[in-house]
Amino acid sequence: MELTLTFFGKLIEVAGNESIQFYSKATTMQELRKELIQTFPKLGTLTFQLAQNNKICLGKATIKSDQIDIFPPFSGG
Amino acid sequence: MKRYEKHILLEEIGLEGQNKISQAKVLVIGAGGLGCPVLQYLTAAGVGMIGIVDVDTICLSNLQRQILYTEKEVGKLKVEVAKKHLESLNSTIKINTYPVILSENNALDLISQYDIIVDCTDNFRSRYIINDACVMSGKVFVFAAIYKFEGQLSVFNFRGGTTYRCLFPNPPKEAEVPNCNQVGVLGVLAGIMGIYQANEVLKILLNHGNILSGQLLTVNLLSQKQTILFFEKDEKKITEIRSKKSIEPIDLNDCIVNQVISLEKIKNPKSFYWVDVREEDEEPKINSSLVHTIPLSKFLHHKQNIPNKENTILFCGSGVRSLKALTYLKNAKSLEEGASQLKQYLEKYE
């Protein structure tokens, strides 16, 4: 399925763009996470979370939306 | 109460609400980009007691966003300057200053004296310490963090609700943390996010509006897009933290903290160039060939005598003035302990 991925913070630099189209075979967030790391190996070294429908999904949640937000923790102050 | 009449006129606040604000005790950890606007608005609003935790001194590059400070105050301790300006804004409130680094050892004690904690720090280590200390002592804390043009905001541990660890269970690895001195940040971003934090503090005190608990607000100033992301409580993680007797050490040293070094981390004192920044008549004297003296009052003019900045450790009586000297010598380190402990340590070593 074709997903629209929206990146936040320094993940924008990793993905090269704030928003990209991404073809995925994943049915769960965990599988999507693996696919993302394969496509963007740098993500494998970073902490990030995934959200759909404005809800942060940890682990095995099923993908229900074609809009996914991907964000890291920020530390600046 | 005349000064608060615009608050009192609001039906949602009134005299009763203003009294709640006046009786509140709020601890602001970090008096930098986020901390300055938080402190100014909470002081203006009349929060009865405000604590400020920050070990840092003011440097010129702070002034782009840390709007409590002026050019004349470069080199001075942030907490002292902040207190002075805030007292001139509102002399009716009490302001306590803590020029210390927040650590696993002092966090619970500091936090226990306040009702609401505001996390205005600039590093993950402090953020996880604040989280765990607040969960253990049942205190609500208002979180914000910034990156370039983007900000995050949430309220954690509100009436036993979600915590920072429900969002990001563990601190990131050291390698993935950007050096805070190397990343640029838009000045007004810190201002906006800090004011949002002050707003959440007032809402909590007044028990009014939607408190951002279980919700992460993300703000992008370039697109002006704001999103609220909802997230769930991690009961297991919270129970685990609550059951601890003391705060577990956070194995991460990012930002200012990695410029402060503790004696227990030093294996061989001979591999360092030790600089005593105390004035010449101060006790105890340390008679060691490893130690060189450059008093803080002469530091700026004599610092070129230091051969290798990376291997230099500055120390003073308690670790406060050595941190001040660090602003003149960016790549050096500052000793966490004071001269007496160093003296004992060197005597034992030699």
Side-chain angles (χ1 to χ4, degrees):
Chain A
M1 128 191 230
E2 180 98 345
L3 301 174
T4 303
L5 307 179
T6 304
F7 293 91
F8 293 77
K10 68 178 167 188
L11 302 186
I12 298 174
E13 294 145 46
V14 175
N17 220 318
E18 195 178 318
S19 180
I20 61 167
Q21 297 300 118
F22 185 82
Y23 183 77
S24 170
K25 288 180 184 161
T27 56
T28 66
M29 286 295 185
Q30 206 167 22
E31 289 165 12
L32 176 61
R33 184 177 275 271
K34 276 186 196 154
E35 283 185 3
L36 286 170
I37 292 170
Q38 269 170 4
T39 312
F40 306 105
K42 182 95 211 289
L43 281 181
T45 64
L46 298 174
T47 302
F48 62 93
Q49 296 294 14
L50 304 166
Q52 61 179 342
N53 299 326
N54 291 341
K55 199 170 178 309
I56 296 166
C57 304
L58 306 177
K60 289 173 186 159
T62 311
I63 300 173
K64 293 175 190 155
S65 167
D66 57 359
Q67 312 279 326
I68 308 286
D69 293 324
I70 305 165
F71 62 95
F74 293 171
S75 68
Chain B
M1 282 292 168
K2 175 88 181 143
R3 72 161 72 215
Y4 307 121
E5 70 178 13
K6 293 289 183 195
H7 265 168
I8 295 166
L9 279 170
L10 288 169
E11 215 172 280
E12 294 77 2
I13 299 183
L15 199 56
E16 194 189 339
Q18 189 57 48
N19 281 333
K20 284 182 190 161
I21 296 172
S22 301
Q23 281 157 21
K25 298 173 188 171
V26 178
L27 182 67
V28 178
I29 306 178
L34 293 169
C36 284
V38 169
L39 288 165
Q40 282 170 305
Y41 273 94
L42 294 185
T43 300
V47 167
M49 185 166 114
I50 296 179
I52 318 170
V53 183
D54 201 312
V55 76
D56 225 345
T57 53
I58 300 160
C59 62
L60 193 62
S61 64
N62 293 154
L63 303 186
Q64 164 255 20
R65 64 200 179 287
Q66 302 183 16
I67 52 168
L68 259 178
Y69 314 124
T70 65
E71 285 175 14
K72 279 184 187 161
E73 290 152 345
V74 167
K76 293 186 175 161
L77 265 178
K78 285 183 181 177
V79 291
E80 283 173 12
V81 175
K83 181 179 161 85
K84 190 185 86 186
H85 289 305
L86 296 170
E87 280 174 347
S88 67
L89 171 60
N90 191 343
S91 59
T92 68
I93 67 164
K94 183 168 168 46
I95 296 170
N96 302 320
T97 57
Y98 308 95
V100 296
I101 293 176
L102 186 84
S103 72
E104 294 89 341
N105 304 325
N106 62 18
L108 285 170
D109 191 33
L110 279 169
I111 282 170
S112 68
Q113 303 164 51
Y114 293 86
D115 311 318
I116 299 179
I117 315 302
V118 193
D119 175 3
C120 300
T121 61
D122 62 357
N123 61 85
F124 285 117
R125 189 185 143 80
S126 302
R127 295 188 185 284
Y128 279 88
I129 291 174
I130 294 171
N131 182 77
D132 293 359
C134 285
V135 172
M136 288 168 73
S137 46
K139 303 278 173 163
V140 55
F141 77 105
V142 180
F143 156 91
I146 54 178
Y147 182 80
K148 292 187 177 176
F149 302 96
E150 291 173 76
Q152 296 176 337
L153 182 82
S154 192
V155 174
F156 294 123
N157 205 39
F158 176 67
R159 297 180 183 158
T162 49
T163 74
Y164 189 51
R165 284 191 192 264
C166 303
L167 196 55
F168 296 106
N170 298 305
K173 289 169 226 81
E174 200 138 345
E176 67 172 291
V177 177
N179 181 326
C180 62
N181 294 325
Q182 282 164 6
V183 178
V185 66
L186 187 72
V188 295
L189 172 66
I192 289 168
M193 298 310 294
I195 291 172
Y196 275 155
Q197 284 182 289
N199 183 44
E200 289 303 306
V201 171
L202 294 177
K203 279 159 58 189
I204 295 166
L205 290 174
L206 298 166
N207 194 17
H208 216 89
N210 164 43
I211 311 289
L212 270 180
S213 172
Q215 303 160 55
L216 178 75
L217 172 71
T218 69
V219 176
N220 183 325
L221 290 191
L222 292 182
S223 62
Q224 289 294 23
K225 201 173 144 193
Q226 297 201 359
T227 311
I228 290 183
L229 300 171
F230 291 81
F231 61 101
E232 306 268 321
K233 218 168 134 178
D234 183 344
E235 291 284 2
K236 206 175 141 204
K237 197 92 195 170
I238 295 173
T239 311
E240 194 186 302
I241 300 167
R242 276 201 197 125
S243 66
K244 293 206 159 66
K245 291 206 166 55
S246 59
I247 301 174
E248 202 138 287
I250 307 293
D251 188 22
L252 174 74
N253 267 323
D254 52 337
C255 249
I256 178 75
V257 182
N258 62 19
Q259 279 189 277
V260 176
I261 189 162
S262 163
L263 283 174
E264 64 189 43
K265 291 256 166 77
I266 296 167
K267 296 209 168 62
N268 180 6
K270 283 187 180 156
S271 53
F272 294 98
Y273 190 89
W274 296 86
V275 179
D276 188 348
V277 303
R278 295 176 300 161
E279 299 307 309
E280 274 141 6
D281 55 350
E282 286 184 56
E283 298 289 343
K285 295 259 179 288
I286 302 181
N287 297 316
S288 162
S289 57
L290 299 176
V291 173
H292 310 264
T293 302
I294 309 180
L296 187 59
S297 57
K298 298 174 188 161
F299 199 82
L300 200 53
H301 302 291
H302 291 89
K303 66 173 186 180
Q304 58 272 24
N305 299 342
I306 297 172
N308 180 353
K309 288 171 192 159
E310 279 77 19
N311 279 335
T312 298
I313 300 179
L314 310 172
F315 70 93
C316 60
S318 65
V320 173
R321 277 176 293 167
S322 54
L323 266 172
K324 203 166 178 173
L326 207 57
T327 56
Y328 303 118
L329 200 70
K330 280 284 175 218
N331 296 322
K333 290 194 179 341
S334 169
L335 187 68
E336 189 177 339
E337 294 88 351
S340 328
Q341 289 100 318
L342 177 64
K343 189 176 159 74
Q344 278 177 9
Y345 174 85
L346 289 176
E347 279 166 2
K348 224 183 272 172
Y349 186 83
E350 281 165 356

